[in-house]
Amino acid sequence: LVYPRKIQIPVQRQIHKVRVRGEKGRLEISKEIVGLTSIPYICVTLDWWPEDKCDWGVCSWHRSTLSSLDLRQGSSDRQELTRALRALRPALLRVGGSLQDLVTYEVKRDKSAEFNECEPFIRNEADRIGYRGGCLHLWQFDALQDLALDADTSFIFGISGLHGRDRQADISGCAKCSTPPCEPCWTGVWRPE
C-alpha cells in the first residue's frame, strides 16, 4: 500500500460507448484521483457460517470461519491466521457476514449470572438464510482480541441489526414486495444491550 500523499498518477481519460439491455450509455474511465481511503484499506473477514453450510453441493466453509476455527493460543489455526494478518499489514480484521444479524454476544463472565440465550447456529430450512441462533462466547472475543494484538491489527464487528426485533409472519404490514413470494419482515425496536 502507498500512502495517499505519495500517489502520483498521470491523468488520462478514456471514454467508451456501452450498451446495456438496449439502453445507450457511456462509460468513462479515468486515472484521476476522485477520492482517497485511509490506512488500513485491506479488510480480512472472518465469517460466521457453520461448517455444514453448503451451496450447490459445495461445502467451502470447512475450518475457515469463526464458527469452526480454533483461535486458542498456540493452535495451528491461530498461528496461520496470525501469519496471514501480519503479511497483509496494515489490514483490518472484520468479524461479520450474512449471519451477523443472528448472533448473540455473551457478555457476562459470571457463569451463575442469567444468560441462556447463547446458543450455537442451528439449521433452519424454513428461513431464507438457513440458520437460527449463533453466539459469540466471551472466550472467543478474548481470543479474537489476543489474535489482533499478536498480529498487530485492529478488528471490528458487524453487529446484529435485528436484536430485539420480531419477525412477522403476516407480511401485510411490511413494505411492499415486488417479487413474491415475499419474506416476512422484522418489526420492533433494535435493542443494543
Side-chain angles (χ1 to χ4, degrees), residues 133-162:
C135 178
L136 179 73
H137 292 280
L138 200 52
W139 68 265
Q140 287 174 303
F141 179 84
D142 291 343
L144 281 166
Q145 189 171 17
D146 291 343
L147 169 69
L149 288 170
D150 289 349
D152 192 25
T153 191
S154 297
F155 71 105
I156 59 172
F157 281 87
I159 61 170
S160 171
L162 299 177

PDB file of all heavy atoms in Angstrom, residues 133-162:
ATOM      1  N   GLY A 133     -30.114 -18.767  15.660  1.00  0.00           N
ATOM      2  CA  GLY A 133     -29.183 -18.823  16.781  1.00  0.00           C
ATOM      3  C   GLY A 133     -27.858 -18.186  16.423  1.00  0.00           C
ATOM      4  O   GLY A 133     -27.772 -17.324  15.572  1.00  0.00           O
ATOM      5  N   GLY A 134     -26.825 -18.653  17.086  1.00  0.00           N
ATOM      6  CA  GLY A 134     -25.489 -18.123  16.876  1.00  0.00           C
ATOM      7  C   GLY A 134     -25.032 -17.332  18.087  1.00  0.00           C
ATOM      8  O   GLY A 134     -25.799 -16.568  18.655  1.00  0.00           O
ATOM      9  N   CYS A 135     -23.800 -17.544  18.477  1.00  0.00           N
ATOM     10  CA  CYS A 135     -23.317 -16.920  19.696  1.00  0.00           C
ATOM     11  C   CYS A 135     -21.821 -16.649  19.593  1.00  0.00           C
ATOM     12  O   CYS A 135     -21.071 -17.450  19.050  1.00  0.00           O
ATOM     13  CB  CYS A 135     -23.575 -17.865  20.869  1.00  0.00           C
ATOM     14  SG  CYS A 135     -22.977 -17.221  22.436  1.00  0.00           S
ATOM     15  N   LEU A 136     -21.416 -15.511  20.108  1.00  0.00           N
ATOM     16  CA  LEU A 136     -20.000 -15.234  20.307  1.00  0.00           C
ATOM     17  C   LEU A 136     -19.779 -15.293  21.808  1.00  0.00           C
ATOM     18  O   LEU A 136     -20.255 -14.431  22.553  1.00  0.00           O
ATOM     19  CB  LEU A 136     -19.591 -13.863  19.780  1.00  0.00           C
ATOM     20  CG  LEU A 136     -18.114 -13.543  20.009  1.00  0.00           C
ATOM     21  CD1 LEU A 136     -17.239 -14.351  19.056  1.00  0.00           C
ATOM     22  CD2 LEU A 136     -17.834 -12.077  19.867  1.00  0.00           C
ATOM     23  N   HIS A 137     -19.094 -16.349  22.246  1.00  0.00           N
ATOM     24  CA  HIS A 137     -18.800 -16.504  23.664  1.00  0.00           C
ATOM     25  C   HIS A 137     -17.692 -15.535  24.062  1.00  0.00           C
ATOM     26  O   HIS A 137     -16.879 -15.120  23.242  1.00  0.00           O
ATOM     27  CB  HIS A 137     -18.362 -17.945  23.960  1.00  0.00           C
ATOM     28  CG  HIS A 137     -19.469 -18.918  23.779  1.00  0.00           C
ATOM     29  ND1 HIS A 137     -20.447 -19.123  24.714  1.00  0.00           N
ATOM     30  CD2 HIS A 137     -19.762 -19.740  22.742  1.00  0.00           C
ATOM     31  CE1 HIS A 137     -21.286 -20.034  24.276  1.00  0.00           C
ATOM     32  NE2 HIS A 137     -20.899 -20.421  23.080  1.00  0.00           N
ATOM     33  N   LEU A 138     -17.652 -15.219  25.314  1.00  0.00           N
ATOM     34  CA  LEU A 138     -16.651 -14.290  25.817  1.00  0.00           C
ATOM     35  C   LEU A 138     -15.229 -14.800  25.571  1.00  0.00           C
ATOM     36  O   LEU A 138     -14.342 -14.024  25.232  1.00  0.00           O
ATOM     37  CB  LEU A 138     -16.890 -14.034  27.308  1.00  0.00           C
ATOM     38  CG  LEU A 138     -16.272 -12.785  27.883  1.00  0.00           C
ATOM     39  CD1 LEU A 138     -16.636 -11.553  27.078  1.00  0.00           C
ATOM     40  CD2 LEU A 138     -16.687 -12.607  29.319  1.00  0.00           C
ATOM     41  N   TRP A 139     -15.006 -16.111  25.705  1.00  0.00           N
ATOM     42  CA  TRP A 139     -13.678 -16.655  25.453  1.00  0.00           C
ATOM     43  C   TRP A 139     -13.288 -16.469  23.979  1.00  0.00           C
ATOM     44  O   TRP A 139     -12.114 -16.267  23.670  1.00  0.00           O
ATOM     45  CB  TRP A 139     -13.570 -18.119  25.883  1.00  0.00           C
ATOM     46  CG  TRP A 139     -14.374 -19.072  25.050  1.00  0.00           C
ATOM     47  CD1 TRP A 139     -15.631 -19.536  25.320  1.00  0.00           C
ATOM     48  CD2 TRP A 139     -13.980 -19.686  23.820  1.00  0.00           C
ATOM     49  NE1 TRP A 139     -16.051 -20.384  24.320  1.00  0.00           N
ATOM     50  CE2 TRP A 139     -15.046 -20.503  23.395  1.00  0.00           C
ATOM     51  CE3 TRP A 139     -12.828 -19.625  23.031  1.00  0.00           C
ATOM     52  CZ2 TRP A 139     -15.009 -21.244  22.211  1.00  0.00           C
ATOM     53  CZ3 TRP A 139     -12.785 -20.363  21.861  1.00  0.00           C
ATOM     54  CH2 TRP A 139     -13.857 -21.165  21.463  1.00  0.00           C
ATOM     55  N   GLN A 140     -14.279 -16.504  23.056  1.00  0.00           N
ATOM     56  CA  GLN A 140     -13.977 -16.269  21.639  1.00  0.00           C
ATOM     57  C   GLN A 140     -13.600 -14.809  21.407  1.00  0.00           C
ATOM     58  O   GLN A 140     -12.690 -14.512  20.638  1.00  0.00           O
ATOM     59  CB  GLN A 140     -15.172 -16.629  20.758  1.00  0.00           C
ATOM     60  CG  GLN A 140     -15.416 -18.110  20.623  1.00  0.00           C
ATOM     61  CD  GLN A 140     -16.701 -18.382  19.871  1.00  0.00           C
ATOM     62  OE1 GLN A 140     -17.771 -17.923  20.270  1.00  0.00           O
ATOM     63  NE2 GLN A 140     -16.590 -19.111  18.779  1.00  0.00           N
ATOM     64  N   PHE A 141     -14.314 -13.903  22.072  1.00  0.00           N
ATOM     65  CA  PHE A 141     -13.977 -12.485  21.961  1.00  0.00           C
ATOM     66  C   PHE A 141     -12.562 -12.251  22.471  1.00  0.00           C
ATOM     67  O   PHE A 141     -11.768 -11.545  21.836  1.00  0.00           O
ATOM     68  CB  PHE A 141     -14.970 -11.618  22.738  1.00  0.00           C
ATOM     69  CG  PHE A 141     -14.627 -10.159  22.669  1.00  0.00           C
ATOM     70  CD1 PHE A 141     -15.041  -9.396  21.601  1.00  0.00           C
ATOM     71  CD2 PHE A 141     -13.858  -9.564  23.662  1.00  0.00           C
ATOM     72  CE1 PHE A 141     -14.703  -8.050  21.528  1.00  0.00           C
ATOM     73  CE2 PHE A 141     -13.513  -8.223  23.596  1.00  0.00           C
ATOM     74  CZ  PHE A 141     -13.943  -7.464  22.525  1.00  0.00           C
ATOM     75  N   ASP A 142     -12.230 -12.844  23.621  1.00  0.00           N
ATOM     76  CA  ASP A 142     -10.885 -12.700  24.171  1.00  0.00           C
ATOM     77  C   ASP A 142      -9.839 -13.246  23.207  1.00  0.00           C
ATOM     78  O   ASP A 142      -8.780 -12.647  23.014  1.00  0.00           O
ATOM     79  CB  ASP A 142     -10.784 -13.407  25.527  1.00  0.00           C
ATOM     80  CG  ASP A 142     -11.597 -12.715  26.620  1.00  0.00           C
ATOM     81  OD1 ASP A 142     -11.973 -11.534  26.442  1.00  0.00           O
ATOM     82  OD2 ASP A 142     -11.870 -13.365  27.646  1.00  0.00           O
ATOM     83  N   ALA A 143     -10.135 -14.397  22.576  1.00  0.00           N
ATOM     84  CA  ALA A 143      -9.200 -14.996  21.619  1.00  0.00           C
ATOM     85  C   ALA A 143      -9.030 -14.097  20.392  1.00  0.00           C
ATOM     86  O   ALA A 143      -7.910 -13.940  19.881  1.00  0.00           O
ATOM     87  CB  ALA A 143      -9.684 -16.384  21.200  1.00  0.00           C
ATOM     88  N   LEU A 144     -10.095 -13.485  19.920  1.00  0.00           N
ATOM     89  CA  LEU A 144     -10.002 -12.554  18.792  1.00  0.00           C
ATOM     90  C   LEU A 144      -9.176 -11.328  19.151  1.00  0.00           C
ATOM     91  O   LEU A 144      -8.360 -10.851  18.363  1.00  0.00           O
ATOM     92  CB  LEU A 144     -11.399 -12.109  18.345  1.00  0.00           C
ATOM     93  CG  LEU A 144     -12.169 -13.083  17.489  1.00  0.00           C
ATOM     94  CD1 LEU A 144     -13.634 -12.666  17.402  1.00  0.00           C
ATOM     95  CD2 LEU A 144     -11.550 -13.177  16.101  1.00  0.00           C
ATOM     96  N   GLN A 145      -9.389 -10.825  20.357  1.00  0.00           N
ATOM     97  CA  GLN A 145      -8.631  -9.664  20.807  1.00  0.00           C
ATOM     98  C   GLN A 145      -7.139 -10.008  20.914  1.00  0.00           C
ATOM     99  O   GLN A 145      -6.286  -9.229  20.473  1.00  0.00           O
ATOM    100  CB  GLN A 145      -9.168  -9.187  22.148  1.00  0.00           C
ATOM    101  CG  GLN A 145      -8.584  -7.882  22.586  1.00  0.00           C
ATOM    102  CD  GLN A 145      -9.281  -7.328  23.815  1.00  0.00           C
ATOM    103  OE1 GLN A 145      -9.987  -8.045  24.520  1.00  0.00           O
ATOM    104  NE2 GLN A 145      -9.079  -6.063  24.083  1.00  0.00           N
ATOM    105  N   ASP A 146      -6.825 -11.172  21.444  1.00  0.00           N
ATOM    106  CA  ASP A 146      -5.425 -11.609  21.526  1.00  0.00           C
ATOM    107  C   ASP A 146      -4.828 -11.793  20.136  1.00  0.00           C
ATOM    108  O   ASP A 146      -3.677 -11.438  19.888  1.00  0.00           O
ATOM    109  CB  ASP A 146      -5.313 -12.910  22.322  1.00  0.00           C
ATOM    110  CG  ASP A 146      -5.606 -12.719  23.804  1.00  0.00           C
ATOM    111  OD1 ASP A 146      -5.585 -11.566  24.281  1.00  0.00           O
ATOM    112  OD2 ASP A 146      -5.868 -13.739  24.474  1.00  0.00           O
ATOM    113  N   LEU A 147      -5.612 -12.378  19.215  1.00  0.00           N
ATOM    114  CA  LEU A 147      -5.159 -12.562  17.833  1.00  0.00           C
ATOM    115  C   LEU A 147      -4.822 -11.211  17.208  1.00  0.00           C
ATOM    116  O   LEU A 147      -3.772 -11.051  16.585  1.00  0.00           O
ATOM    117  CB  LEU A 147      -6.235 -13.274  17.014  1.00  0.00           C
ATOM    118  CG  LEU A 147      -6.032 -13.306  15.505  1.00  0.00           C
ATOM    119  CD1 LEU A 147      -4.850 -14.210  15.147  1.00  0.00           C
ATOM    120  CD2 LEU A 147      -7.299 -13.793  14.812  1.00  0.00           C
ATOM    121  N   ALA A 148      -5.706 -10.238  17.362  1.00  0.00           N
ATOM    122  CA  ALA A 148      -5.472  -8.907  16.796  1.00  0.00           C
ATOM    123  C   ALA A 148      -4.211  -8.279  17.383  1.00  0.00           C
ATOM    124  O   ALA A 148      -3.420  -7.673  16.662  1.00  0.00           O
ATOM    125  CB  ALA A 148      -6.688  -8.017  17.029  1.00  0.00           C
ATOM    126  N   LEU A 149      -4.000  -8.439  18.684  1.00  0.00           N
ATOM    127  CA  LEU A 149      -2.794  -7.899  19.312  1.00  0.00           C
ATOM    128  C   LEU A 149      -1.544  -8.598  18.783  1.00  0.00           C
ATOM    129  O   LEU A 149      -0.548  -7.943  18.459  1.00  0.00           O
ATOM    130  CB  LEU A 149      -2.880  -8.043  20.834  1.00  0.00           C
ATOM    131  CG  LEU A 149      -3.872  -7.112  21.526  1.00  0.00           C
ATOM    132  CD1 LEU A 149      -4.053  -7.513  22.982  1.00  0.00           C
ATOM    133  CD2 LEU A 149      -3.413  -5.667  21.422  1.00  0.00           C
ATOM    134  N   ASP A 150      -1.593  -9.941  18.678  1.00  0.00           N
ATOM    135  CA  ASP A 150      -0.444 -10.702  18.167  1.00  0.00           C
ATOM    136  C   ASP A 150      -0.117 -10.346  16.722  1.00  0.00           C
ATOM    137  O   ASP A 150       1.035 -10.315  16.322  1.00  0.00           O
ATOM    138  CB  ASP A 150      -0.701 -12.212  18.247  1.00  0.00           C
ATOM    139  CG  ASP A 150      -0.691 -12.730  19.671  1.00  0.00           C
ATOM    140  OD1 ASP A 150      -0.272 -11.975  20.585  1.00  0.00           O
ATOM    141  OD2 ASP A 150      -1.098 -13.892  19.879  1.00  0.00           O
ATOM    142  N   ALA A 151      -1.162 -10.097  15.927  1.00  0.00           N
ATOM    143  CA  ALA A 151      -0.967  -9.801  14.505  1.00  0.00           C
ATOM    144  C   ALA A 151      -0.756  -8.312  14.246  1.00  0.00           C
ATOM    145  O   ALA A 151      -0.561  -7.911  13.100  1.00  0.00           O
ATOM    146  CB  ALA A 151      -2.173 -10.300  13.710  1.00  0.00           C
ATOM    147  N   ASP A 152      -0.810  -7.510  15.302  1.00  0.00           N
ATOM    148  CA  ASP A 152      -0.648  -6.061  15.190  1.00  0.00           C
ATOM    149  C   ASP A 152      -1.665  -5.464  14.218  1.00  0.00           C
ATOM    150  O   ASP A 152      -1.324  -4.734  13.300  1.00  0.00           O
ATOM    151  CB  ASP A 152       0.783  -5.711  14.751  1.00  0.00           C
ATOM    152  CG  ASP A 152       1.081  -4.234  14.905  1.00  0.00           C
ATOM    153  OD1 ASP A 152       0.441  -3.578  15.744  1.00  0.00           O
ATOM    154  OD2 ASP A 152       1.947  -3.724  14.159  1.00  0.00           O
ATOM    155  N   THR A 153      -2.929  -5.821  14.439  1.00  0.00           N
ATOM    156  CA  THR A 153      -4.004  -5.309  13.603  1.00  0.00           C
ATOM    157  C   THR A 153      -5.189  -4.926  14.477  1.00  0.00           C
ATOM    158  O   THR A 153      -5.246  -5.288  15.651  1.00  0.00           O
ATOM    159  CB  THR A 153      -4.432  -6.342  12.535  1.00  0.00           C
ATOM    160  OG1 THR A 153      -5.293  -5.727  11.606  1.00  0.00           O
ATOM    161  CG2 THR A 153      -5.114  -7.543  13.156  1.00  0.00           C
ATOM    162  N   SER A 154      -6.109  -4.212  13.922  1.00  0.00           N
ATOM    163  CA  SER A 154      -7.346  -3.863  14.624  1.00  0.00           C
ATOM    164  C   SER A 154      -8.436  -4.805  14.157  1.00  0.00           C
ATOM    165  O   SER A 154      -8.352  -5.389  13.084  1.00  0.00           O
ATOM    166  CB  SER A 154      -7.766  -2.431  14.290  1.00  0.00           C
ATOM    167  OG  SER A 154      -6.795  -1.528  14.743  1.00  0.00           O
ATOM    168  N   PHE A 155      -9.492  -4.936  14.957  1.00  0.00           N
ATOM    169  CA  PHE A 155     -10.622  -5.715  14.478  1.00  0.00           C
ATOM    170  C   PHE A 155     -11.920  -4.993  14.771  1.00  0.00           C
ATOM    171  O   PHE A 155     -12.008  -4.196  15.704  1.00  0.00           O
ATOM    172  CB  PHE A 155     -10.611  -7.148  15.017  1.00  0.00           C
ATOM    173  CG  PHE A 155     -10.929  -7.318  16.469  1.00  0.00           C
ATOM    174  CD1 PHE A 155     -12.164  -7.806  16.865  1.00  0.00           C
ATOM    175  CD2 PHE A 155      -9.996  -7.030  17.444  1.00  0.00           C
ATOM    176  CE1 PHE A 155     -12.459  -7.993  18.205  1.00  0.00           C
ATOM    177  CE2 PHE A 155     -10.270  -7.209  18.779  1.00  0.00           C
ATOM    178  CZ  PHE A 155     -11.515  -7.691  19.164  1.00  0.00           C
ATOM    179  N   ILE A 156     -12.896  -5.248  13.912  1.00  0.00           N
ATOM    180  CA  ILE A 156     -14.208  -4.628  14.038  1.00  0.00           C
ATOM    181  C   ILE A 156     -15.268  -5.712  13.894  1.00  0.00           C
ATOM    182  O   ILE A 156     -15.016  -6.765  13.316  1.00  0.00           O
ATOM    183  CB  ILE A 156     -14.432  -3.523  12.986  1.00  0.00           C
ATOM    184  CG1 ILE A 156     -14.292  -4.091  11.571  1.00  0.00           C
ATOM    185  CG2 ILE A 156     -13.522  -2.355  13.211  1.00  0.00           C
ATOM    186  CD1 ILE A 156     -14.683  -3.145  10.478  1.00  0.00           C
ATOM    187  N   PHE A 157     -16.447  -5.438  14.418  1.00  0.00           N
ATOM    188  CA  PHE A 157     -17.562  -6.372  14.341  1.00  0.00           C
ATOM    189  C   PHE A 157     -18.698  -5.762  13.555  1.00  0.00           C
ATOM    190  O   PHE A 157     -19.009  -4.584  13.715  1.00  0.00           O
ATOM    191  CB  PHE A 157     -18.103  -6.693  15.741  1.00  0.00           C
ATOM    192  CG  PHE A 157     -17.298  -7.686  16.481  1.00  0.00           C
ATOM    193  CD1 PHE A 157     -16.225  -7.292  17.243  1.00  0.00           C
ATOM    194  CD2 PHE A 157     -17.616  -9.032  16.415  1.00  0.00           C
ATOM    195  CE1 PHE A 157     -15.466  -8.207  17.938  1.00  0.00           C
ATOM    196  CE2 PHE A 157     -16.864  -9.959  17.110  1.00  0.00           C
ATOM    197  CZ  PHE A 157     -15.794  -9.545  17.867  1.00  0.00           C
ATOM    198  N   GLY A 158     -19.335  -6.585  12.722  1.00  0.00           N
ATOM    199  CA  GLY A 158     -20.641  -6.244  12.190  1.00  0.00           C
ATOM    200  C   GLY A 158     -21.612  -6.740  13.248  1.00  0.00           C
ATOM    201  O   GLY A 158     -21.544  -7.905  13.636  1.00  0.00           O
ATOM    202  N   ILE A 159     -22.449  -5.874  13.778  1.00  0.00           N
ATOM    203  CA  ILE A 159     -23.304  -6.283  14.886  1.00  0.00           C
ATOM    204  C   ILE A 159     -24.708  -6.633  14.415  1.00  0.00           C
ATOM    205  O   ILE A 159     -25.112  -6.286  13.316  1.00  0.00           O
ATOM    206  CB  ILE A 159     -23.362  -5.217  15.990  1.00  0.00           C
ATOM    207  CG1 ILE A 159     -23.943  -3.912  15.439  1.00  0.00           C
ATOM    208  CG2 ILE A 159     -21.998  -4.999  16.596  1.00  0.00           C
ATOM    209  CD1 ILE A 159     -24.247  -2.895  16.502  1.00  0.00           C
ATOM    210  N   SER A 160     -25.429  -7.279  15.277  1.00  0.00           N
ATOM    211  CA  SER A 160     -26.783  -7.705  14.974  1.00  0.00           C
ATOM    212  C   SER A 160     -27.717  -6.512  14.849  1.00  0.00           C
ATOM    213  O   SER A 160     -27.968  -5.811  15.813  1.00  0.00           O
ATOM    214  CB  SER A 160     -27.299  -8.633  16.077  1.00  0.00           C
ATOM    215  OG  SER A 160     -28.672  -8.885  15.886  1.00  0.00           O
ATOM    216  N   GLY A 161     -28.231  -6.310  13.655  1.00  0.00           N
ATOM    217  CA  GLY A 161     -29.188  -5.241  13.431  1.00  0.00           C
ATOM    218  C   GLY A 161     -30.607  -5.669  13.752  1.00  0.00           C
ATOM    219  O   GLY A 161     -31.539  -4.883  13.639  1.00  0.00           O
ATOM    220  N   LEU A 162     -30.791  -6.935  14.131  1.00  0.00           N
ATOM    221  CA  LEU A 162     -32.138  -7.438  14.388  1.00  0.00           C
ATOM    222  C   LEU A 162     -32.405  -7.733  15.855  1.00  0.00           C
ATOM    223  O   LEU A 162     -33.518  -8.124  16.207  1.00  0.00           O
ATOM    224  CB  LEU A 162     -32.364  -8.725  13.577  1.00  0.00           C
ATOM    225  CG  LEU A 162     -32.252  -8.573  12.066  1.00  0.00           C
ATOM    226  CD1 LEU A 162     -32.424  -9.914  11.385  1.00  0.00           C
ATOM    227  CD2 LEU A 162     -33.263  -7.571  11.551  1.00  0.00           C
TER     228      LEU A 162
END
